[in-house]
Each structure stands twice: as C-alpha cells, then as structure tokens.
Amino acid sequence: MHPIPQRCARQPLAGGLVVPWVSVIHGGHAAFGSLDAERARTAFLHRLCQICGQHLDERCLLIARPADVTQGCSPEPALQPECLPYAAAHCPMLNGTATQYRQRPVQASHPAGRPCTDPS
C-alpha cells in the first residue's frame, strides 16, 4: 500500500483513502468516481493537480487512453509526480479492479453507493 503523499496531507479522507480534489462531495460524503465539473475545469485552467489540488510543478503526469493520445489531449487534469503512484495503487479505475468498484446494489442509485433522498 502506497503511503499518502505529503502533498495530500490536508485532503479529506474517506475510508482511509485521500479524496481527490476533483471528486464530488455530496452530503459530506465523497462520491468516488464522480468528477465535480467546476473543480475539474478549474484544475485545467489553473494547472492544478486533480488529486491534491495544488499548482502543478514543471513536471506533471497525465492519464491518457490510446484514443486520447491519438487526439492529442487527455480528458482528465494532470497529476503531481507523487500523486499518480498513490492514485494508481488505490483507484479501482486505474488498478484494474473497476468491475468490483462499479458493482453496486440496484437500489443504491447514489454515485457513492448509498441511498440518497436529495434529487439534485
């Protein structure tokens, strides 16, 4: 298990994991796998790391699929060099366990896998 990067020391935790800066926070809970569109936009425009929310260093990393490389762009904001290994180790979308991550009970339609009475 990768330790939490020092840059993420001030980030909120959920289940012992860093809540990425671009994640949706709804009702005080992180909705892992859901992006806050305004934060993602801010990260792109102001060169912020999607995990820690800090200004990117000169050297930063992108997560890109082969189709993204062909198009010459990434749909996700960049990451600090120390944030990517942590994210890759713990994010089901990056480490190959996404099928387990996405399997939720049918009655739970909230992105965080919890029932939610807030229609917004």
Side-chain angles (χ1 to χ4, degrees):
M1 185 151 144
H2 279 67
I4 293 174
Q6 188 63 32
R7 289 181 181 274
C8 297
R10 294 187 183 144
Q11 288 297 108
L13 301 178
L17 298 175
V18 171
V19 175
W21 188 79
V22 296
S23 289
V24 169
I25 305 293
H26 179 75
H29 299 282
F32 287 107
S34 297
L35 290 179
D36 178 315
E38 186 57 34
R39 281 194 169 203
R41 181 179 175 278
T42 299
F44 274 118
L45 292 175
H46 298 283
R47 295 185 36 93
L48 305 177
C49 175
Q50 67 168 296
I51 303 298
C52 68
Q54 295 180 19
H55 285 277
L56 293 167
D57 292 338
E58 184 175 317
R59 184 173 157 248
C60 61
L61 304 168
L62 293 171
I63 298 171
R65 303 166 298 188
D68 302 331
V69 174
T70 301
Q71 292 180 347
C73 64
S74 172
E76 294 192 33
L79 296 94
Q80 298 285 8
E82 54 270 39
C83 292
L84 180 60
Y86 177 83
H90 298 287
C91 176
M93 299 300 286
L94 297 176
N95 67 22
T97 61
T99 55
Q100 294 173 318
Y101 177 65
R102 290 291 179 199
Q103 290 176 351
R104 307 193 259 266
V106 175
Q107 73 274 13
S109 60
H110 188 274
R114 293 181 299 278
C116 181
T117 58
D118 181 351
S120 64

